[in-house]
Amino acid sequence: MTNTIPFHDIKKDALVINCVIQGHLPPVTEDARMSLIRALCSLMVQCWSINPDKRPTAEECKKLISWMPMIVPAPTQARTEEASQLRHARLLNKLGTMYRRQADYVSALSSFAAALDIYTNQNDHKGRGETLRYLADAHRFRNEYTEAIKFYSEALEILTEVGYEEERTNVLFGLATTHLCRGDHAEAAKLYSECLQMNTNTGNKRDRATALWGLGQVHWVQEQYSEAINLYSEASQIYDEVGDRRERALALCSLADVRRFRDEHSEATNLYSEALQLFTDVGDHKERGNALWGLAEVLRSQQRYGEATKFYSEVMQVSTVVDDVQGRGAAIWGLAQLHQLQHDYSEAITLYSEAMQIFNDIGDKYWRAETLMSLAATNEICGHSNKAMTLYMEASEVLEEMGNSSRASSALRRAEDIRETLQDASPDPVETVKVGEDPLLTSE
């Protein structure tokens, strides 16, 4: 079970015999693989309980397994050194993917980097290109778009040389999504369209639907809602045909987002509710929380603040259970919005600050920028002009780092407007603060 013989570190038989006589047997609990096996056996025994009430539910089993130590199996000694190393690299990539799905991006990047080193040393171009894409994905999820583009571009060059078209399509999709997040809509549309054509040519219906969804995202952010609805609807229909309920639910959520932005509350509610049921059916609680968040946003738009509070609170509960830190932060942000709309500015600022701490901790630049903008607006309403100006400037810096120059300029203009207002109201212009400098600003 440990892939080593007992007393593998002792060379002489006499010493082994002496260890056995003395009772110094190989430790089982200290071995990582044995620790995992013991944990699995313990869970299995619980499932065998004669009393059904003492058996863990499927959800409890899933949760317990997710908490167990995750390790990369050691390569078997029967393989050659090269084959063992390559197998180890593949397992590192699987481990990194698991970490990424758990939003543990630091561990994910570490696993992918270790795999990349192995593929590089073994001169395995195909594996290297695939791993570069995994690294790029992790950086994209961390909103580190410059790093993501660098890794995607390197992966694309390698995969084109070796003719690995299937993985090349995945890289193009990731690269398109990164450009979309940076606000480069034309480049994103071009890359998504290339993905769509490639998947149409190969007859890959599921990936074709994903490319359609990507193009829908481009139209949505450009407020071309009719085109977005058509693309999302086509993607949803394909996912339904291939039996992918989770991806269909994600497409339904995107459709719901568009309906919500168009104030089509009834349609949005129906779509979010359908997606919520699908996520519940497939057991994806993280996305279930996202659907609940969408429903909360609809209720907030309808000024049904009491009901919206209940949904945001449920999102917080779900996020806590599945350890979705980002989801919890978004729920707190939503609750802050409710307090702001009801003129409870003190509580709103407290909640925004709590959400800000979460987004700072996980390095989520998108939500950090959104929260900075919300905090700035709330402080501005409260008359805390210097504080608001500082927050707008900080938001501008974050947005610029993300590549969203348009919103960065808007935030900076807002800070400039406040500065000019302060300057007009001040009897001594010398004492006013200049945007672009870095003074120690305090709230009024």
Side-chain angles (χ1 to χ4, degrees):
M1 290 183 179
T2 64
N3 277 324
T4 58
I5 62 173
F7 304 106
H8 65 281
D9 54 338
I10 300 177
K11 303 303 181 182
K12 295 184 178 181
D13 291 345
L15 293 176
V16 172
I17 294 170
N18 185 58
C19 285
V20 173
I21 293 173
Q22 296 293 326
H24 299 154
L25 303 178
V28 175
T29 56
E30 293 179 10
D31 185 86
R33 290 172 181 79
M34 289 303 298
S35 177
L36 176 59
I37 292 170
R38 284 165 59 88
L40 287 169
C41 289
S42 176
L43 177 59
M44 186 169 60
V45 170
Q46 293 179 51
C47 293
W48 290 344
S49 176
I50 296 177
N51 185 348
D53 295 334
K54 293 184 178 181
R55 299 171 193 163
T57 64
E59 180 60 33
E60 289 170 339
C61 287
K62 182 179 177 182
K63 187 186 300 183
L64 288 168
I65 291 173
S66 70
W67 290 341
M68 291 178 186
M70 296 298 174
I71 55 173
V72 179
T76 58
Q77 296 177 354
R79 295 173 176 266
T80 65
E81 178 63 23
E82 180 181 355
S84 296
Q85 286 294 313
L86 293 176
R87 178 174 181 268
H88 188 61
R90 289 193 295 272
L91 292 170
L92 280 167
N93 277 338
K94 289 182 179 180
L95 185 64
T97 301
M98 181 200 71
Y99 283 132
R100 181 182 63 76
R101 289 172 178 169
Q102 294 174 347
D104 184 356
Y105 300 122
V106 173
S107 298
L109 288 170
S110 177
S111 294
F112 293 143
L116 183 64
D117 286 343
I118 294 174
Y119 282 126
T120 301
N121 292 333
Q122 296 295 328
N123 204 30
D124 187 319
H125 298 296
K126 185 175 178 180
R128 189 164 182 269
E130 191 174 46
T131 306
L132 284 166
R133 195 263 293 183
Y134 292 146
L135 279 165
D137 286 343
H139 282 293
R140 173 165 61 87
F141 280 106
R142 282 170 59 96
N143 302 316
E144 297 169 348
Y145 301 131
T146 301
E147 292 87 345
I149 288 176
K150 180 184 73 174
F151 284 115
Y152 280 133
S153 300
E154 189 176 353
L156 193 61
E157 182 179 347
I158 292 172
L159 295 168
T160 301
E161 289 178 0
V162 299
Y164 191 3
E165 288 299 301
E166 182 180 353
E167 185 60 24
R168 185 171 174 270
T169 305
N170 293 331
V171 173
L172 286 171
F173 182 86
L175 194 55
T177 304
T178 306
H179 281 291
L180 177 63
C181 293
R182 288 180 57 136
D184 190 350
H185 303 146
E187 185 65 19
K190 173 188 171 184
L191 292 165
Y192 281 133
S193 297
E194 188 175 349
C195 286
L196 180 61
Q197 187 60 55
M198 290 174 69
N199 289 316
T200 300
N201 293 341
T202 60
N204 190 326
K205 296 179 70 174
R206 185 188 177 282
D207 286 351
R208 182 172 182 274
T210 304
L212 287 167
W213 175 86
L215 283 169
Q217 292 287 90
V218 175
H219 287 288
W220 176 44
V221 298
Q222 295 182 99
E223 300 183 3
Q224 299 167 350
Y225 296 134
S226 296
E227 293 88 342
I229 287 173
N230 290 336
L231 289 161
Y232 288 145
S233 298
E234 187 176 354
S236 175
Q237 183 177 348
I238 293 174
Y239 286 133
D240 190 31
E241 291 173 1
V242 300
D244 194 328
R245 292 193 294 169
R246 181 184 179 276
E247 293 300 320
R248 180 168 180 268
L250 289 171
L252 290 172
C253 274
S254 297
L255 272 171
D257 289 339
V258 176
R259 298 294 187 182
R260 173 166 59 85
F261 271 78
R262 294 178 64 170
D263 293 326
E264 297 170 358
H265 299 140
S266 178
E267 293 87 344
T269 299
N270 290 337
L271 289 164
Y272 280 131
S273 298
E274 186 178 354
L276 180 64
Q277 185 59 58
L278 285 170
F279 287 133
T280 302
D281 291 344
V282 301
D284 191 328
H285 295 289
K286 182 178 183 296
E287 292 300 338
R288 182 173 176 271
N290 291 335
L292 286 166
W293 189 86
L295 286 167
E297 287 286 282
V298 172
L299 292 166
R300 178 170 66 84
S301 300
Q302 295 176 304
Q303 299 182 4
R304 294 159 63 180
Y305 300 138
E307 295 171 80
T309 298
K310 292 179 182 178
F311 275 89
Y312 284 129
S313 299
E314 188 173 352
V315 174
M316 286 187 64
Q317 292 175 359
V318 172
S319 300
T320 300
V321 170
V322 300
D323 197 25
D324 179 10
V325 182
Q326 183 192 63
R328 186 172 183 275
I332 294 171
W333 178 90
L335 288 169
Q337 290 268 299
L338 292 179
H339 283 283
Q340 180 179 339
L341 289 167
Q342 296 174 86
H343 310 297
D344 185 359
Y345 300 124
S346 177
E347 183 64 19
I349 288 174
T350 298
L351 289 167
Y352 281 137
S353 299
E354 184 180 350
M356 175 65 69
Q357 185 61 55
I358 290 173
F359 299 134
N360 281 337
D361 290 344
I362 64 175
D364 191 318
K365 293 181 180 179
Y366 170 82
W367 272 109
R368 183 168 169 242
E370 290 297 322
T371 308
L372 283 167
M373 293 293 286
S374 298
L375 260 175
T378 308
N379 276 279
E380 188 176 2
I381 292 170
C382 293
H384 304 157
S385 301
N386 281 339
K387 182 66 174 177
M389 183 165 56
T390 303
L391 290 164
Y392 280 128
M393 291 165 62
E394 188 177 350
S396 176
E397 292 175 2
V398 176
L399 289 163
E400 195 65 56
E401 288 174 8
M402 293 170 58
N404 194 335
S405 299
S406 176
R407 285 198 71 197
S409 297
S410 296
L412 200 58
R413 281 197 302 271
R414 192 72 206 108
E416 177 66 23
D417 290 342
I418 296 174
R419 185 194 68 81
E420 290 178 357
T421 300
L422 288 173
Q423 190 175 44
D424 292 341
S426 173
D428 185 1
V430 177
E431 295 180 0
T432 59
V433 180
K434 294 182 179 180
V435 174
E437 294 181 354
D438 188 22
L440 180 62
L441 299 175
T442 57
S443 60
E444 297 178 351

